[in-house]
Each structure stands twice: as structure tokens, then as C-alpha cells.
Amino acid sequence: FCVMNFYHLVDVADQEAELEAHREYLDGKDIRGRIYISHQGINAQLSGPADIAAAYGEWIKTERPAFAGLAYATFPSPGHAFPKL
């Protein structure tokens, strides 16, 4: 498991569509935490299996063009750090 943190400031024209894309991607995955998407960008603190968390970060960078420059940090964790998503 790991804890992942990131933020990326960018104009998000359609926050609802962006939020739905993230919900669809994360559906059924063992990720818990907080992910905020606003017209100003994204801010997240989450935990989950390290491979799933890293895949989410890479999905954001490669599949969500507005976030191409996203940088994220991960830290080892013995389990989930958050109770729910």
C-alpha cells in the first residue's frame, strides 16, 4: 500500500465531466481518500495498493490532457490511510 498526494492547477472547463471520468476510472478499484476537482484543477490525498495508485497517477497524466504535467508523490503505508473515497 501507499499514500499518494498531488495537486495540479489548471483551468478545468467542465468539472462535472472531469469528475465523472475519474469516478469511472476508479470504480471497483481499492482506492480511498479525497479527490477534489474544481474549475482551478485537482487536489488529491489517497491511499491504496501501490500499483493501483501509480496506475491512477499515470492515467491522469496520459488520458486527461489538461493534467499532462501532473507530478505526484507516493509514500509507503502499511494499509489504507483513509476510511473511504
Side-chain angles (χ1 to χ4, degrees), residues 47-77:
S47 63
D51 59 333
I52 295 174
Y56 177 52
E58 292 304 311
W59 174 82
I60 296 169
K61 290 168 58 171
T62 59
E63 299 298 322
R64 309 309 300 165
F67 302 109
L70 178 80
Y72 58 85
T74 60
F75 306 92
S77 177

Side-chain angles (χ1 to χ4, degrees), residues 24-45:
E24 287 179 15
Y25 179 83
L26 292 170
D27 187 42
K29 293 179 174 66
D30 191 16
I31 295 291
R32 299 181 190 173
R34 297 182 276 290
I35 302 168
Y36 301 105
I37 297 172
S38 75
H39 67 280
Q40 298 173 327
I42 189 168
N43 182 340
Q45 302 82 41

Side-chain angles (χ1 to χ4, degrees), residues 10-23 35-42 64 66-67:
V10 63
D11 290 329
V12 177
D14 188 344
Q15 300 96 307
E16 290 300 319
E18 190 65 39
L19 178 60
E20 186 57 32
H22 288 256
R23 282 185 178 147
I35 302 168
Y36 301 105
I37 297 172
S38 75
H39 67 280
Q40 298 173 327
I42 189 168
R64 309 309 300 165
F67 302 109

